[in-house]
Every structure is written in C-alpha cells, then in structure tokens.
C-alpha cells in the first residue's frame, strides 16, 4: 500500500511521486571485466497495469517504472540511498541557497532533437505547478518558491531564498520530458499525438510497441547496456519465454533457484511492512508497552516461516543497505525476559491466566490489517507471539479503504499492520515521523526526533550523518512503529549481468534496468 496525499491542479501539465522518486534502487550499477554472454531479451512480469507511458499523466507504479527507462532524470538515487549523477553529470552549490547542475551534453531524444537545459527547466517548472499528475505533494512542496534558469544549453541553476536541503535533490529525481513535445499541450493533445503510447523518449531505451498487456523496449545505446530488448508483461501468459540466459532468483538467505528461461516474476508487494502504533491511543500510548511488544517478536522468524525467506527483517525505518544505517544495530530475536522486566517495571503483573494486567485491566492490543493473504499471515504470527508473551492480542481484518478512512486517518486504532513506501531517505522520515508529517500515521510528535530529521536534510555531510544517527537512536527509544520486514528477492545471473543485490519486486527491477551493464 502506498499512502499518498494527492492534489490535482486541473491544468495543462501534471504531477510525480515523492516517495517513489526518492526510493533507493537496489541494483548498483558497476562495470565488470568478467567475460560472459549478452542477455539479448529479458522478460519481466509486472503486477498491475499501465495507463499511459507519458510521465506527466501516468498514475500507476508500472507506468512510473517504465518511464524510468524512457526518460532521463537530473539525478538518480543509488543502491545506498545516495544521490548519483544522471542527466546531470555533476552539481555544485555556488551558495547555500543555490545548486548548479552540469548536464551531459550530446544526448538526443528518440526523434533526433538534442536534450538540453530547456527540457530540464520546462520539466521543473511543470513540477512546481503540480502538473505531474501522480505526485504526493512532496515534489511540488520541495520546489515551491525556487527559481530555475538555464545559463547555457548544458547547465541548470536552481535558486531559493533560504538554504537548500536534500529535499530539493530528492525532488529532482522525477522524469525530464521533451519540452518541444509537451510545451503548451494538454493531456488530451499529448494522447492524440501518441506521446502516451509510443512517446518520444531519451536513452537508453525506446518503445518498439505498446499495449495494455505488453510493452516492448529496445536498447538504443549502441550495445553498451544490457539487455538489448525488454518485454514487460502485465499477464504472465503474454510473455514468451526466451531461454538465451539463465536468471536465478535467490531467497535472501537460502539456495539459489535456477530458472530455465529469462522470465523474472517477483513479489507483488514491494514496500516496508510495519506495525504502526497510535501513540495517542489506549495502552500503546505508553512507550514501555511498545518496547515490550517489540521484545516479544522475532522478525527473523516471520521472514523465515511466513515469507519463506523472501524478505529482510527490519529494525528501523532505514533499510540495511541505506548508507546511514548503523550496522551495529542488529535485529534482535524475541526476548521474553526483557518483556517481563519492562512490564513489571511499568506496574503490570500476571493474572492467574498468565495475562498481563494493571489496575484490573488486561493488556489488550487490537491489530488491524487488510484481508491480503500474506499480510494476514504476518498479522496472525505477530498476535500469536504477543499472546505467548501474556498479551491479550487480537487481529481484525478491514478492507483497505475502510481501514484507512475509518481507522487510520481518523486515529481510531491501537495498532495497524501497513506497508508504506520509503527506505529511509530524509524526505520519507519527515513525512512519516515528523510532527505534522503528511504520512504521520502514528501521530508521533517529538522535538528531539524532529531536530534529528531536520539534520538529515542538510547538504552538509557531517550534519546529515549525525542527524541519521540521532534519528535511529531516538526512534528506538520511542518506537512509534515496529518495522517488521522488507519484501526482497536476491537476483543473480550466469554472467549476463553484474550480480545484483536485493530488489523488492519486478517494478523496482524494471526501474533499475537502465543502469545494468552487460559483461564485456
């Protein structure tokens, strides 16, 4: 589930997704000298569907992933969450209130027109107007009030009245569109021009053909990247297996499972899953109770038994591969003794039936979840662990719309098992855990946590790192949520690609494909 706060402007251009824009790509581009075969065609089965390939108007995750192959970005986010060069080969901060981006010159759109700073300036202006349709307010908010100029054809200057933060860099990871096509055109006009079906695009891929069931892309980068062609299917039966190479899907801890063809089908879920507490609600408003609930759980056991190793246990909102994650913070196993010491120190005692009580009332926690099979299995496993620890735990199923409308948004819940986009980028932290954040489900409001989140947005590397360290420490003290796991599959291959690290699903696999390099 992706939680967004959408806003529509009803104008000629449109909107983009802040959480997705800053989500780390988990496949790290890296050259290799190991000889091996070239993967000519890769088939990727993507859950969901596309509505259009126009990045200005798409509203689906699959559409965004495809757009990542077809349209350049000023910046991209690397495997560790760091900002990496893309269309902008480098950038500097001439003053605390400005950023100067130096573009890679010599690139062309698929119709032969040069890609210049005018395209970047046009696209940034469109984002400032909220004209990328699928935006969750973060991009527009981060760019509001900034001026954008093009000193020459290969540079873009972004300036503001206040010191700029990493939120601006995160906002500039949305697709750049061809200004000579999109300028002055309405949604309907762009669709009539086939921009949303077979769009004018940038390197390395172009669309060969597209339908609601399948999109075929071809690499136009002269063979320097792999695969040569990509077939993206929205129903598995529409892909025809291509046995030119063997791709292996490796569960995050187990043996590799060889596949007999080049079709890769990933987990349908790709977002971190956590138990969100309502810190203003009954019982779980007590941080000691939240600590005890955490100590009763074994996240590794959930990943092994419920997910079949298709996931990574989480300790904090920062993914283990995020650059600022503290590796010294290990995911703990269940600690029954710590549960006892915490609750006894907080005035709870065990009843004759083994349930913790205080002031004559049992420690009862109702965990809400959706009817999704995997999510329900995880919720039941969590509740079972809590019951074994003496907690009166109950699971209630609610449809997604009702769960959000009637319980989460209104604050009428104790605990909810939810999947929310984000891998620890500073803008994610502000939205999810900052006081008044747009996605602050738990209702947490803590000055120390806010100060740490503010520091994570600094362009000063030492201040930024210190902010992430302070955030992790304070989050573990407060525990407004219990991060449980991140769905993930390890993808490797028999020499055709540089071995990949963890990916969370076929959408992310597709989004990272532009940076894959073939063995030479």
């Amino acid at each position: 589930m992706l939680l967004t706060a959408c806003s529509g402007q009803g104008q000629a251009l449109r909107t983009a997704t802040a959480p997705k824009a800053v989500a780390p790509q988990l496949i790290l581009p890296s050259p290799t000298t190991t000889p091996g075969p070239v993967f000519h065609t890769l088939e990727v089965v993507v859950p969901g569907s596309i509505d259009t390939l126009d990045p200005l108007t798409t509203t689906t995750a699959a559409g965004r992933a495809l757009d990542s192959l077809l349209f350049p970005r000023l910046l991209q986010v690397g495997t560790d969450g760091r900002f990496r060069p893309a269309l902008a080969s480098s950038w500097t901060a001439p003053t605390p209130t400005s950023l100067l981006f130096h573009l890679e010159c010599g690139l062309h759109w698929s119709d032969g027109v040069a890609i210049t700073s005018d395209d970047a300036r046009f696209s940034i202006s469109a984002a400032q107007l909220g004209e990328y349709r699928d935006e969750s307010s973060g991009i527009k908010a981060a760019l509001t009030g900034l001026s954008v100029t093009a000193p020459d054809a290969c540079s873009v200057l972004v300036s503001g009245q206040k010191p700029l933060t990493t939120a601006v860099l995160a906002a500039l990871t949305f697709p750049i569109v061809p200004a000579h096509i999109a300028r002055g055109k309405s949604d309907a006009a762009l669709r009539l021009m086939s921009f949303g079906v077979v769009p004018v695009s940038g390197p390395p891929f172009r669309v060969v053909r597209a339908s609601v069931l399948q999109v075929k892309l071809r690499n136009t980068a002269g063979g320097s990247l792999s695969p040569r062609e990509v077939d993206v299917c929205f129903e598995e039966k529409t892909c025809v297996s291509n046995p030119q190479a063997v791709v292996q899907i490796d569960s995050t801890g187990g043996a590799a499972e060889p596949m007999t063809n080049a079709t890769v089908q990933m987990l349908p879920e790709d977002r971190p899953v956590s138990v969100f507490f309502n810190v203003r609600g009954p019982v779980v408003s007590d941080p000691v109770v939240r600590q005890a609930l955490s100590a009763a759980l074994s996240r590794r056991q959930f990943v092994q038994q419920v997910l079949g190793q298709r996931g990574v246990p989480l300790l904090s909102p920062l993914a283990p591969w995020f650059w600022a994650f503290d590796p010294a913070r290990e995911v703990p196993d269940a600690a029954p003794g710590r549960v006892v010491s915490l609750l006894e120190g907080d005035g709870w005692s065990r009843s004759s039936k083994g349930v913790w009580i205080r002031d004559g009332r049992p420690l009862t926690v109702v965990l809400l979840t959706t009817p999704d099979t995997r999510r329900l299995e995880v919720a039941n496993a969590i509740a079972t662990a809590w019951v074994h620890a003496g907690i009166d735990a109950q699971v209630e199923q609610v449809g997604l719309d009702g769960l959000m409308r009637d319980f989460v948004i209104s604050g009428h819940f104790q605990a909810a098992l939810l999947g929310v986009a984000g891998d620890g980028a500073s803008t994610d932290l502000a939205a999810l855990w900052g006081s008044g954040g747009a996605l602050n489900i738990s209702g947490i409001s803590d000055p120390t946590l806010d100060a740490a989140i503010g520091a994570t947005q600094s362009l000063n590397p030492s201040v930024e790192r210190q902010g992430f360290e302070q955030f992790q420490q304070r989050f573990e003290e407060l525990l407004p949520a219990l991060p449980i796991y991140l769905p993930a599959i390890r993808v490797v291959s028999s020499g055709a690609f540089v071995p990949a690290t963890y990916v969370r699903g076929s959408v992310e696999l597709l989004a990272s494909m532009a940076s894959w390099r073939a063995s030479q």
Side-chain angles (χ1 to χ4, degrees):
M1 181 189 68
L2 173 63
L3 301 183
T4 60
C6 297
S7 61
Q9 298 295 321
Q11 297 185 11
L13 292 172
R14 309 33 65 182
T15 328
T17 31
K20 205 63 184 180
V22 300
Q25 296 177 353
L26 305 184
I27 296 182
L28 180 64
S30 172
T32 179
T33 57
T34 305
V38 173
F39 208 166
H40 291 284
T41 301
L42 178 69
E43 296 169 347
V44 183
V45 182
V46 177
S49 62
I50 60 169
D51 50 355
T52 175
L53 294 179
D54 174 10
L56 295 172
T57 60
T58 186
T59 58
T60 67
R64 292 192 298 271
L66 282 164
D67 287 341
S68 70
L69 301 183
L70 299 173
F71 299 93
R73 287 159 164 73
L74 278 181
L75 307 174
Q76 61 184 350
V77 184
T79 183
D80 58 357
R82 287 290 197 186
F83 296 104
R84 307 290 188 191
L87 179 59
S89 56
S90 64
W91 61 93
T92 58
T95 69
T97 61
S98 65
L99 287 166
L100 180 62
F101 297 91
H102 304 280
L103 309 188
E104 181 179 352
C105 291
L107 299 178
H108 293 80
W109 298 107
S110 57
D111 62 356
V113 175
I115 300 175
T116 70
S117 56
D118 182 55
D119 298 304
R121 180 176 57 181
F122 169 80
S123 300
I124 294 172
S125 297
Q128 288 178 312
L129 293 173
E131 294 176 347
Y132 279 75
R133 176 167 297 170
D134 193 25
E135 184 211 352
S136 70
S137 77
I139 290 178
K140 181 180 177 181
L143 299 179
T144 296
L146 300 182
S147 67
V148 184
T149 58
D152 55 56
C154 296
S155 60
V156 175
L157 180 66
V158 178
S159 305
Q161 299 297 318
K162 299 178 181 179
L164 302 184
T165 69
T166 57
V168 175
L169 296 180
L172 294 176
T173 58
F174 60 85
I176 301 299
V177 298
H180 68 286
I181 297 293
R183 179 176 280 120
K185 304 294 193 307
S186 66
D187 291 357
L190 290 175
R191 289 178 183 274
L192 287 174
M193 295 170 61
S194 298
F195 183 55
V197 179
V198 182
V200 172
S201 60
F205 291 97
R206 69 178 178 86
V207 176
V208 178
R209 62 176 180 268
S211 72
V212 294
L213 296 179
Q214 186 177 19
V215 175
K216 179 178 283 292
L217 309 178
R218 182 167 295 152
N219 177 11
T220 61
S224 62
L225 298 177
S226 188
R228 298 291 182 264
E229 290 187 349
V230 180
D231 285 340
V232 182
C233 310
F234 306 102
E235 292 183 8
E236 188 171 7
K237 63 184 180 182
T238 62
C239 271
V240 179
S241 298
N242 179 359
Q244 293 184 32
V246 175
V247 175
Q248 295 176 323
I249 294 184
D250 179 13
S251 60
T252 57
E257 302 171 6
M259 301 185 69
T260 57
N261 53 57
T263 299
V264 180
Q265 186 169 17
M266 306 294 243
L267 289 174
E269 180 179 53
D270 66 350
R271 298 179 181 91
V273 175
S274 302
V275 174
F276 285 82
F277 294 119
N278 180 3
V279 300
R280 298 158 296 189
V283 183
V284 293
S285 59
D286 184 347
V288 176
V289 170
R290 300 197 296 268
Q291 292 284 350
L293 291 169
S294 177
L297 302 181
S298 174
R299 294 160 176 80
R300 289 191 181 90
Q301 185 176 4
F302 298 151
V303 169
Q304 292 171 357
Q305 296 182 0
V306 179
L307 302 181
Q309 286 285 53
R310 265 46 172 195
V312 178
L314 294 179
L315 175 64
S316 84
L318 274 61
W321 41 77
F322 191 74
W323 70 269
F325 177 77
D326 183 357
R329 288 182 161 88
E330 297 184 358
V331 178
D333 290 323
R338 176 167 166 74
V339 175
V340 172
S341 62
L342 283 168
L343 293 179
E344 286 183 345
D346 201 35
W348 297 87
S349 61
R350 301 291 283 265
S351 69
S352 58
K353 296 182 179 180
V355 176
W356 291 99
I357 59 173
R358 186 173 65 183
D359 300 328
R361 297 180 178 179
L363 200 171
T364 299
V365 176
V366 177
L367 178 61
L368 302 181
T369 189
T370 62
D372 173 79
T373 301
R374 176 174 282 112
R375 197 68 61 78
L376 186 58
E377 289 177 351
V378 174
N380 285 330
I382 291 172
T384 298
W386 285 345
V387 169
H388 287 166
I391 297 159
D392 178 22
Q394 306 166 24
V395 174
E396 292 187 5
Q397 303 178 51
V398 185
L400 179 58
D401 291 342
L403 175 62
M404 298 307 302
R405 180 187 64 247
D406 300 331
F407 296 94
V408 174
I409 294 176
S410 62
H412 297 146
F413 74 102
Q414 274 187 298
L417 187 67
L418 301 171
V420 180
D423 270 335
S426 56
T427 47
D428 296 334
L429 302 185
L432 286 166
W433 314 113
S435 298
L439 303 180
N440 189 338
I441 297 168
S442 68
I444 191 69
S445 180
D446 180 76
T448 302
L449 197 64
D450 289 341
I453 292 172
T456 66
Q457 297 182 329
S458 173
L459 292 175
N460 183 314
S462 61
V463 174
E464 182 187 24
R465 178 175 291 276
Q466 185 177 21
F468 277 109
E469 292 174 353
Q470 293 172 345
F471 171 82
Q472 292 174 87
Q473 179 178 348
R474 187 58 174 164
F475 186 90
E476 289 182 23
E477 294 170 354
L478 296 174
L479 281 184
L482 302 182
I484 304 297
Y485 68 91
L486 181 63
I489 295 178
R490 187 176 177 84
V491 179
V492 297
S493 78
S494 57
F497 298 114
V498 176
T501 53
Y502 297 114
V503 295
R504 298 198 311 271
S506 52
V507 169
E508 182 180 59
L509 173 70
L510 187 63
S512 61
M513 205 176 297
S515 60
W516 289 12
R517 296 191 178 275
S519 300
Q520 303 297 322

